[in-house]
Amino acid sequence: MSERIPVLVNRSGGTAAARGDALGPEIEKAFADAGLAIDLQLLPGDRVAEAAAKVADRELVVVGGGDGTLGGAAGALAHAGATLGILPLGTRNHLARELGVPLKLPEAAKLIATGTQRRIDLARVNDHVFVNNASIGFYPDLVHQREDMALPKKLAALPAAAAAVRRMRHRRLRLEMPDREESVVTPMLFVGNNRYVLEAGKLGQREALDDGVLSVYAVASRRRMALIGFALRALIGRADPDRDFAAIGDTPELRVTGPKRCIDVALDGEVKSLAVPLDFTLEARALSVIAPADGS
């Protein structure tokens, strides 16, 4: 490629923020060593999506940050036909891990130079994109509690969870799918971009990124002490699929309604207040990404 590759980095992302002033030079060196010329922009997280839209006419755009940052940029890139290169600079980096993108900067830059294009599905709710999952209820409440604490995400996780558990309540939601309708009472509704594995030790992993379905799960309705147990198990990654989740099924689209005019929804960990009804759709293989050639 003759022109410089746009590299848009959320400078406040989990891993990016920890690098401080060294972040820019480390990124520049990683790409120089990979033989790529870049145009680096270190941005506040809420400006990455706008910056991505401005350069979406390029063949390749690299975005650095966590899953919420990637989701915010992905819609504009998919619409324009640009390919997304990923620098995993967030806290958890779920999409990068599932695609096989290395978590270290030099290796991630090398992959962008040598990897292959792969197409994956994009999910939307009311025109807001998510690359992994969306949730209603307990998890958005936890994120709000965490953001109210003047602590790094990892340090704030436990006290935020304790505060969210104290406020945990059930939601009455109506789910409309092409083949059926269902009412649920649940502390958390989960909508996955593709199917998530409900097996002990594999929670949070997907069977595929391009199967063209939304997977819908509700946390089982239980008494308060049982819900506290669920929250603690979920926090340490030990949720019990048989005990904690009720699988509602796979669907190409979903409408969610409830008693309120707006509902807080966590999209890849970023919370937005969205107007009801919530219309979930999936765009099959809409996004081109750089991934390892062997698909691992």
Side-chain angles (χ1 to χ4, degrees), residues 72-102:
L77 300 184
H79 179 75
T83 294
L84 170 66
I86 298 173
L87 291 182
L89 292 170
T91 302
R92 301 192 183 279
N93 305 303
H94 289 297
L95 180 61
R97 292 175 187 273
E98 290 187 281
L99 286 169
V101 175

PDB file of all heavy atoms in Angstrom, residues 72-102:
ATOM      1  N   GLY A  72     -17.756   0.545  17.965  1.00  0.00           N
ATOM      2  CA  GLY A  72     -18.113   1.890  17.564  1.00  0.00           C
ATOM      3  C   GLY A  72     -17.603   2.248  16.185  1.00  0.00           C
ATOM      4  O   GLY A  72     -18.254   2.990  15.444  1.00  0.00           O
ATOM      5  N   ALA A  73     -16.446   1.725  15.810  1.00  0.00           N
ATOM      6  CA  ALA A  73     -15.851   2.029  14.506  1.00  0.00           C
ATOM      7  C   ALA A  73     -16.326   1.087  13.419  1.00  0.00           C
ATOM      8  O   ALA A  73     -16.318   1.441  12.234  1.00  0.00           O
ATOM      9  CB  ALA A  73     -14.323   1.956  14.612  1.00  0.00           C
ATOM     10  N   ALA A  74     -16.755  -0.115  13.785  1.00  0.00           N
ATOM     11  CA  ALA A  74     -17.007  -1.165  12.798  1.00  0.00           C
ATOM     12  C   ALA A  74     -18.131  -0.834  11.841  1.00  0.00           C
ATOM     13  O   ALA A  74     -18.089  -1.200  10.663  1.00  0.00           O
ATOM     14  CB  ALA A  74     -17.312  -2.483  13.519  1.00  0.00           C
ATOM     15  N   GLY A  75     -19.159  -0.152  12.312  1.00  0.00           N
ATOM     16  CA  GLY A  75     -20.296   0.134  11.453  1.00  0.00           C
ATOM     17  C   GLY A  75     -19.917   0.965  10.243  1.00  0.00           C
ATOM     18  O   GLY A  75     -20.290   0.637   9.103  1.00  0.00           O
ATOM     19  N   ALA A  76     -19.163   2.040  10.463  1.00  0.00           N
ATOM     20  CA  ALA A  76     -18.754   2.907   9.359  1.00  0.00           C
ATOM     21  C   ALA A  76     -17.821   2.175   8.409  1.00  0.00           C
ATOM     22  O   ALA A  76     -17.912   2.328   7.184  1.00  0.00           O
ATOM     23  CB  ALA A  76     -18.080   4.164   9.903  1.00  0.00           C
ATOM     24  N   LEU A  77     -16.919   1.361   8.940  1.00  0.00           N
ATOM     25  CA  LEU A  77     -15.969   0.641   8.090  1.00  0.00           C
ATOM     26  C   LEU A  77     -16.688  -0.407   7.247  1.00  0.00           C
ATOM     27  O   LEU A  77     -16.399  -0.568   6.057  1.00  0.00           O
ATOM     28  CB  LEU A  77     -14.890  -0.015   8.951  1.00  0.00           C
ATOM     29  CG  LEU A  77     -14.045   0.937   9.809  1.00  0.00           C
ATOM     30  CD1 LEU A  77     -12.956   0.159  10.537  1.00  0.00           C
ATOM     31  CD2 LEU A  77     -13.442   2.050   8.980  1.00  0.00           C
ATOM     32  N   ALA A  78     -17.637  -1.119   7.850  1.00  0.00           N
ATOM     33  CA  ALA A  78     -18.383  -2.125   7.095  1.00  0.00           C
ATOM     34  C   ALA A  78     -19.207  -1.480   5.993  1.00  0.00           C
ATOM     35  O   ALA A  78     -19.275  -1.986   4.867  1.00  0.00           O
ATOM     36  CB  ALA A  78     -19.288  -2.916   8.044  1.00  0.00           C
ATOM     37  N   HIS A  79     -19.835  -0.370   6.295  1.00  0.00           N
ATOM     38  CA  HIS A  79     -20.669   0.313   5.307  1.00  0.00           C
ATOM     39  C   HIS A  79     -19.853   0.758   4.099  1.00  0.00           C
ATOM     40  O   HIS A  79     -20.319   0.677   2.957  1.00  0.00           O
ATOM     41  CB  HIS A  79     -21.350   1.519   5.952  1.00  0.00           C
ATOM     42  CG  HIS A  79     -22.212   2.304   5.019  1.00  0.00           C
ATOM     43  ND1 HIS A  79     -23.440   1.857   4.605  1.00  0.00           N
ATOM     44  CD2 HIS A  79     -22.011   3.513   4.405  1.00  0.00           C
ATOM     45  CE1 HIS A  79     -23.969   2.741   3.775  1.00  0.00           C
ATOM     46  NE2 HIS A  79     -23.131   3.757   3.631  1.00  0.00           N
ATOM     47  N   ALA A  80     -18.624   1.213   4.346  1.00  0.00           N
ATOM     48  CA  ALA A  80     -17.772   1.715   3.259  1.00  0.00           C
ATOM     49  C   ALA A  80     -16.966   0.613   2.585  1.00  0.00           C
ATOM     50  O   ALA A  80     -16.340   0.845   1.558  1.00  0.00           O
ATOM     51  CB  ALA A  80     -16.825   2.790   3.793  1.00  0.00           C
ATOM     52  N   GLY A  81     -16.937  -0.579   3.166  1.00  0.00           N
ATOM     53  CA  GLY A  81     -16.178  -1.683   2.589  1.00  0.00           C
ATOM     54  C   GLY A  81     -14.724  -1.721   2.992  1.00  0.00           C
ATOM     55  O   GLY A  81     -13.926  -2.438   2.382  1.00  0.00           O
ATOM     56  N   ALA A  82     -14.340  -0.959   4.031  1.00  0.00           N
ATOM     57  CA  ALA A  82     -12.956  -0.969   4.509  1.00  0.00           C
ATOM     58  C   ALA A  82     -12.708  -2.215   5.356  1.00  0.00           C
ATOM     59  O   ALA A  82     -13.620  -2.779   5.965  1.00  0.00           O
ATOM     60  CB  ALA A  82     -12.665   0.281   5.331  1.00  0.00           C
ATOM     61  N   THR A  83     -11.452  -2.630   5.406  1.00  0.00           N
ATOM     62  CA  THR A  83     -11.042  -3.753   6.255  1.00  0.00           C
ATOM     63  C   THR A  83     -10.527  -3.222   7.588  1.00  0.00           C
ATOM     64  O   THR A  83      -9.794  -2.224   7.629  1.00  0.00           O
ATOM     65  CB  THR A  83      -9.960  -4.590   5.563  1.00  0.00           C
ATOM     66  OG1 THR A  83     -10.520  -5.211   4.402  1.00  0.00           O
ATOM     67  CG2 THR A  83      -9.428  -5.676   6.484  1.00  0.00           C
ATOM     68  N   LEU A  84     -10.895  -3.883   8.665  1.00  0.00           N
ATOM     69  CA  LEU A  84     -10.491  -3.496  10.012  1.00  0.00           C
ATOM     70  C   LEU A  84      -9.274  -4.294  10.452  1.00  0.00           C
ATOM     71  O   LEU A  84      -9.288  -5.523  10.445  1.00  0.00           O
ATOM     72  CB  LEU A  84     -11.648  -3.741  10.989  1.00  0.00           C
ATOM     73  CG  LEU A  84     -11.333  -3.607  12.485  1.00  0.00           C
ATOM     74  CD1 LEU A  84     -10.983  -2.162  12.837  1.00  0.00           C
ATOM     75  CD2 LEU A  84     -12.513  -4.104  13.323  1.00  0.00           C
ATOM     76  N   GLY A  85      -8.226  -3.583  10.848  1.00  0.00           N
ATOM     77  CA  GLY A  85      -7.091  -4.187  11.535  1.00  0.00           C
ATOM     78  C   GLY A  85      -7.205  -3.872  13.012  1.00  0.00           C
ATOM     79  O   GLY A  85      -7.584  -2.757  13.385  1.00  0.00           O
ATOM     80  N   ILE A  86      -6.893  -4.823  13.868  1.00  0.00           N
ATOM     81  CA  ILE A  86      -7.140  -4.674  15.302  1.00  0.00           C
ATOM     82  C   ILE A  86      -5.836  -4.611  16.089  1.00  0.00           C
ATOM     83  O   ILE A  86      -4.977  -5.495  15.963  1.00  0.00           O
ATOM     84  CB  ILE A  86      -7.997  -5.840  15.827  1.00  0.00           C
ATOM     85  CG1 ILE A  86      -9.370  -5.838  15.143  1.00  0.00           C
ATOM     86  CG2 ILE A  86      -8.157  -5.759  17.341  1.00  0.00           C
ATOM     87  CD1 ILE A  86     -10.209  -7.059  15.476  1.00  0.00           C
ATOM     88  N   LEU A  87      -5.722  -3.565  16.927  1.00  0.00           N
ATOM     89  CA  LEU A  87      -4.703  -3.521  17.971  1.00  0.00           C
ATOM     90  C   LEU A  87      -5.424  -3.747  19.292  1.00  0.00           C
ATOM     91  O   LEU A  87      -6.203  -2.887  19.730  1.00  0.00           O
ATOM     92  CB  LEU A  87      -3.989  -2.165  17.995  1.00  0.00           C
ATOM     93  CG  LEU A  87      -3.079  -1.826  16.830  1.00  0.00           C
ATOM     94  CD1 LEU A  87      -2.413  -0.457  17.066  1.00  0.00           C
ATOM     95  CD2 LEU A  87      -2.010  -2.892  16.627  1.00  0.00           C
ATOM     96  N   PRO A  88      -5.230  -4.884  19.943  1.00  0.00           N
ATOM     97  CA  PRO A  88      -5.983  -5.194  21.167  1.00  0.00           C
ATOM     98  C   PRO A  88      -5.445  -4.407  22.352  1.00  0.00           C
ATOM     99  O   PRO A  88      -4.547  -4.851  23.069  1.00  0.00           O
ATOM    100  CB  PRO A  88      -5.793  -6.703  21.331  1.00  0.00           C
ATOM    101  CG  PRO A  88      -4.535  -7.015  20.596  1.00  0.00           C
ATOM    102  CD  PRO A  88      -4.384  -6.010  19.505  1.00  0.00           C
ATOM    103  N   LEU A  89      -5.993  -3.222  22.577  1.00  0.00           N
ATOM    104  CA  LEU A  89      -5.500  -2.326  23.620  1.00  0.00           C
ATOM    105  C   LEU A  89      -6.562  -2.035  24.668  1.00  0.00           C
ATOM    106  O   LEU A  89      -6.497  -1.032  25.365  1.00  0.00           O
ATOM    107  CB  LEU A  89      -5.010  -1.010  22.994  1.00  0.00           C
ATOM    108  CG  LEU A  89      -3.754  -1.132  22.134  1.00  0.00           C
ATOM    109  CD1 LEU A  89      -3.491   0.161  21.368  1.00  0.00           C
ATOM    110  CD2 LEU A  89      -2.547  -1.478  23.011  1.00  0.00           C
ATOM    111  N   GLY A  90      -7.574  -2.913  24.763  1.00  0.00           N
ATOM    112  CA  GLY A  90      -8.603  -2.756  25.775  1.00  0.00           C
ATOM    113  C   GLY A  90      -8.291  -3.575  27.011  1.00  0.00           C
ATOM    114  O   GLY A  90      -7.161  -4.035  27.224  1.00  0.00           O
ATOM    115  N   THR A  91      -9.310  -3.783  27.823  1.00  0.00           N
ATOM    116  CA  THR A  91      -9.127  -4.539  29.067  1.00  0.00           C
ATOM    117  C   THR A  91      -9.243  -6.039  28.832  1.00  0.00           C
ATOM    118  O   THR A  91      -8.430  -6.822  29.308  1.00  0.00           O
ATOM    119  CB  THR A  91     -10.178  -4.092  30.109  1.00  0.00           C
ATOM    120  OG1 THR A  91     -10.053  -2.679  30.330  1.00  0.00           O
ATOM    121  CG2 THR A  91      -9.961  -4.817  31.431  1.00  0.00           C
ATOM    122  N   ARG A  92     -10.244  -6.472  28.058  1.00  0.00           N
ATOM    123  CA  ARG A  92     -10.476  -7.908  27.866  1.00  0.00           C
ATOM    124  C   ARG A  92     -10.209  -8.379  26.441  1.00  0.00           C
ATOM    125  O   ARG A  92      -9.798  -9.507  26.224  1.00  0.00           O
ATOM    126  CB  ARG A  92     -11.905  -8.263  28.291  1.00  0.00           C
ATOM    127  CG  ARG A  92     -12.180  -7.920  29.756  1.00  0.00           C
ATOM    128  CD  ARG A  92     -13.480  -8.525  30.241  1.00  0.00           C
ATOM    129  NE  ARG A  92     -13.771  -8.138  31.611  1.00  0.00           N
ATOM    130  CZ  ARG A  92     -13.254  -8.709  32.679  1.00  0.00           C
ATOM    131  NH1 ARG A  92     -12.413  -9.720  32.543  1.00  0.00           N
ATOM    132  NH2 ARG A  92     -13.575  -8.294  33.890  1.00  0.00           N
ATOM    133  N   ASN A  93     -10.487  -7.561  25.451  1.00  0.00           N
ATOM    134  CA  ASN A  93     -10.138  -7.874  24.057  1.00  0.00           C
ATOM    135  C   ASN A  93     -10.734  -9.202  23.581  1.00  0.00           C
ATOM    136  O   ASN A  93     -10.055 -10.036  22.996  1.00  0.00           O
ATOM    137  CB  ASN A  93      -8.606  -7.895  23.895  1.00  0.00           C
ATOM    138  CG  ASN A  93      -7.959  -6.612  24.363  1.00  0.00           C
ATOM    139  OD1 ASN A  93      -8.272  -5.528  23.886  1.00  0.00           O
ATOM    140  ND2 ASN A  93      -7.050  -6.724  25.327  1.00  0.00           N
ATOM    141  N   HIS A  94     -12.035  -9.385  23.810  1.00  0.00           N
ATOM    142  CA  HIS A  94     -12.668 -10.658  23.457  1.00  0.00           C
ATOM    143  C   HIS A  94     -12.609 -10.939  21.955  1.00  0.00           C
ATOM    144  O   HIS A  94     -12.282 -12.056  21.538  1.00  0.00           O
ATOM    145  CB  HIS A  94     -14.130 -10.660  23.923  1.00  0.00           C
ATOM    146  CG  HIS A  94     -14.299 -10.751  25.400  1.00  0.00           C
ATOM    147  ND1 HIS A  94     -13.876 -11.835  26.135  1.00  0.00           N
ATOM    148  CD2 HIS A  94     -14.845  -9.885  26.297  1.00  0.00           C
ATOM    149  CE1 HIS A  94     -14.157 -11.655  27.407  1.00  0.00           C
ATOM    150  NE2 HIS A  94     -14.740 -10.477  27.534  1.00  0.00           N
ATOM    151  N   LEU A  95     -12.951  -9.944  21.134  1.00  0.00           N
ATOM    152  CA  LEU A  95     -12.977 -10.195  19.692  1.00  0.00           C
ATOM    153  C   LEU A  95     -11.584 -10.536  19.187  1.00  0.00           C
ATOM    154  O   LEU A  95     -11.415 -11.467  18.382  1.00  0.00           O
ATOM    155  CB  LEU A  95     -13.525  -8.983  18.943  1.00  0.00           C
ATOM    156  CG  LEU A  95     -13.588  -9.147  17.417  1.00  0.00           C
ATOM    157  CD1 LEU A  95     -14.508 -10.291  17.022  1.00  0.00           C
ATOM    158  CD2 LEU A  95     -14.029  -7.845  16.746  1.00  0.00           C
ATOM    159  N   ALA A  96     -10.578  -9.809  19.626  1.00  0.00           N
ATOM    160  CA  ALA A  96      -9.209 -10.091  19.199  1.00  0.00           C
ATOM    161  C   ALA A  96      -8.820 -11.524  19.554  1.00  0.00           C
ATOM    162  O   ALA A  96      -8.235 -12.248  18.736  1.00  0.00           O
ATOM    163  CB  ALA A  96      -8.243  -9.095  19.838  1.00  0.00           C
ATOM    164  N   ARG A  97      -9.138 -11.949  20.753  1.00  0.00           N
ATOM    165  CA  ARG A  97      -8.794 -13.308  21.183  1.00  0.00           C
ATOM    166  C   ARG A  97      -9.494 -14.347  20.306  1.00  0.00           C
ATOM    167  O   ARG A  97      -8.892 -15.361  19.915  1.00  0.00           O
ATOM    168  CB  ARG A  97      -9.179 -13.510  22.650  1.00  0.00           C
ATOM    169  CG  ARG A  97      -8.346 -12.683  23.634  1.00  0.00           C
ATOM    170  CD  ARG A  97      -8.873 -12.852  25.057  1.00  0.00           C
ATOM    171  NE  ARG A  97      -8.225 -11.977  25.999  1.00  0.00           N
ATOM    172  CZ  ARG A  97      -7.091 -12.243  26.643  1.00  0.00           C
ATOM    173  NH1 ARG A  97      -6.479 -13.412  26.428  1.00  0.00           N
ATOM    174  NH2 ARG A  97      -6.569 -11.387  27.491  1.00  0.00           N
ATOM    175  N   GLU A  98     -10.779 -14.125  20.005  1.00  0.00           N
ATOM    176  CA  GLU A  98     -11.519 -15.110  19.216  1.00  0.00           C
ATOM    177  C   GLU A  98     -11.038 -15.164  17.771  1.00  0.00           C
ATOM    178  O   GLU A  98     -11.119 -16.211  17.124  1.00  0.00           O
ATOM    179  CB  GLU A  98     -13.014 -14.801  19.279  1.00  0.00           C
ATOM    180  CG  GLU A  98     -13.607 -15.073  20.653  1.00  0.00           C
ATOM    181  CD  GLU A  98     -15.110 -14.922  20.672  1.00  0.00           C
ATOM    182  OE1 GLU A  98     -15.600 -13.781  20.725  1.00  0.00           O
ATOM    183  OE2 GLU A  98     -15.805 -15.956  20.629  1.00  0.00           O
ATOM    184  N   LEU A  99     -10.527 -14.052  17.270  1.00  0.00           N
ATOM    185  CA  LEU A  99      -9.993 -14.035  15.909  1.00  0.00           C
ATOM    186  C   LEU A  99      -8.566 -14.571  15.839  1.00  0.00           C
ATOM    187  O   LEU A  99      -8.062 -14.853  14.749  1.00  0.00           O
ATOM    188  CB  LEU A  99     -10.001 -12.603  15.356  1.00  0.00           C
ATOM    189  CG  LEU A  99     -11.357 -12.034  14.955  1.00  0.00           C
ATOM    190  CD1 LEU A  99     -11.237 -10.535  14.696  1.00  0.00           C
ATOM    191  CD2 LEU A  99     -11.885 -12.743  13.708  1.00  0.00           C
ATOM    192  N   GLY A 100      -7.910 -14.700  16.983  1.00  0.00           N
ATOM    193  CA  GLY A 100      -6.520 -15.134  16.993  1.00  0.00           C
ATOM    194  C   GLY A 100      -5.536 -14.002  16.811  1.00  0.00           C
ATOM    195  O   GLY A 100      -4.373 -14.226  16.441  1.00  0.00           O
ATOM    196  N   VAL A 101      -5.968 -12.756  17.080  1.00  0.00           N
ATOM    197  CA  VAL A 101      -5.067 -11.606  16.981  1.00  0.00           C
ATOM    198  C   VAL A 101      -4.132 -11.608  18.188  1.00  0.00           C
ATOM    199  O   VAL A 101      -4.600 -11.680  19.331  1.00  0.00           O
ATOM    200  CB  VAL A 101      -5.858 -10.290  16.941  1.00  0.00           C
ATOM    201  CG1 VAL A 101      -4.923  -9.076  16.970  1.00  0.00           C
ATOM    202  CG2 VAL A 101      -6.745 -10.240  15.698  1.00  0.00           C
ATOM    203  N   PRO A 102      -2.820 -11.540  17.984  1.00  0.00           N
ATOM    204  CA  PRO A 102      -1.892 -11.525  19.126  1.00  0.00           C
ATOM    205  C   PRO A 102      -2.146 -10.328  20.024  1.00  0.00           C
ATOM    206  O   PRO A 102      -2.505  -9.240  19.550  1.00  0.00           O
ATOM    207  CB  PRO A 102      -0.515 -11.438  18.467  1.00  0.00           C
ATOM    208  CG  PRO A 102      -0.716 -11.910  17.062  1.00  0.00           C
ATOM    209  CD  PRO A 102      -2.112 -11.513  16.692  1.00  0.00           C
TER     210      PRO A 102
END
